[in-house]
Amino acid sequence: MSGHSKWSQIKHQKAAADAKRGQAFSKLSKTIALAAKEGGTDPASNTKLRDAITKAKQANMPADNIQRAIARATTAAEGLETFLYEAYGPGGVALLIEGVSDNRNRSAGEIKHLLAEHGAKWAEPGSVQWAFRKTNAGWEAQEHSRIEVNEEDQKKLKILLDALEEQEDVEEIYTNVKNIKETNLSLNYENFRH
């Protein structure tokens, strides 16, 4: 039974969970720093910062990490900027990918690679955005642009969205899928917001 101890298994599971938590905290930290840079460090007057702090607290991010992220707003956040990339996924699904990065070229290259790897296509600015409308909560697919995809394309889409979510700079992903079945995928109905 060499190499099959329960402790070894627990250690690997904990390491994987810690890595995932660290990645989530890193994303939240960037979002907080950028929100503080854009609207000031007072959550009472900066709704974007207040929303980012709420998300961080929901993810059990320590208060010290939140404060450090706010403090970074004047230094490290200077290099941070938001991006909105557009793509077409499996079955012709429209994708809007929002994020925060300190290097847009690196982020674009990594996202293009993920899209190509999963059968999706990078789209030029404006070629997908027409299918969505901007709301206070983000982007919402317009009713006339919603499409239905078959079960096979839903599975491919789920794999693509999981891969994009793992990308460090990606914050939110929006689709115009109409018929995602919750039994097959852990996605919201109609408008996927990651």
Side-chain angles (χ1 to χ4, degrees), residues 60-116:
N60 294 324
M61 187 173 179
D64 290 348
N65 292 20
I66 294 171
Q67 290 306 317
R68 277 196 302 272
I70 293 171
R72 278 193 8 222
T74 55
T75 56
E78 288 179 19
L80 293 177
E81 54 186 319
T82 59
F83 62 78
L84 178 67
Y85 296 137
E86 302 177 35
Y88 285 103
V93 173
L95 300 169
L96 283 181
I97 305 163
E98 278 187 336
V100 177
S101 178
D102 57 353
N103 185 336
R104 288 180 69 133
N105 292 333
R106 175 188 47 78
S107 297
E110 290 174 0
I111 291 171
K112 281 181 184 179
H113 177 74
L114 285 173
L115 291 170

Side-chain angles (χ1 to χ4, degrees), residues 26-37:
S26 175
K27 284 183 179 187
L28 290 166
S29 222
K30 282 185 198 175
T31 305
I32 290 169
L34 188 64
K37 174 190 169 195

Side-chain angles (χ1 to χ4, degrees), residues 93-94 132-133 139-143 145-149 154 157 161 173-182 187-193:
V93 173
F132 297 85
R133 64 186 159 103
W139 294 90
E140 182 179 305
Q142 296 191 49
E143 197 57 43
S145 72
R146 294 189 186 279
I147 64 169
E148 294 188 20
V149 293
Q154 285 185 30
L157 180 62
L161 295 175
I173 307 164
Y174 303 92
T175 75
N176 67 336
V177 175
K178 182 188 279 187
N179 67 323
I180 289 183
K181 296 177 184 168
E182 200 167 18
L187 305 176
N188 294 335
Y189 291 105
E190 297 178 349
N191 189 33
F192 176 77
R193 183 167 181 246

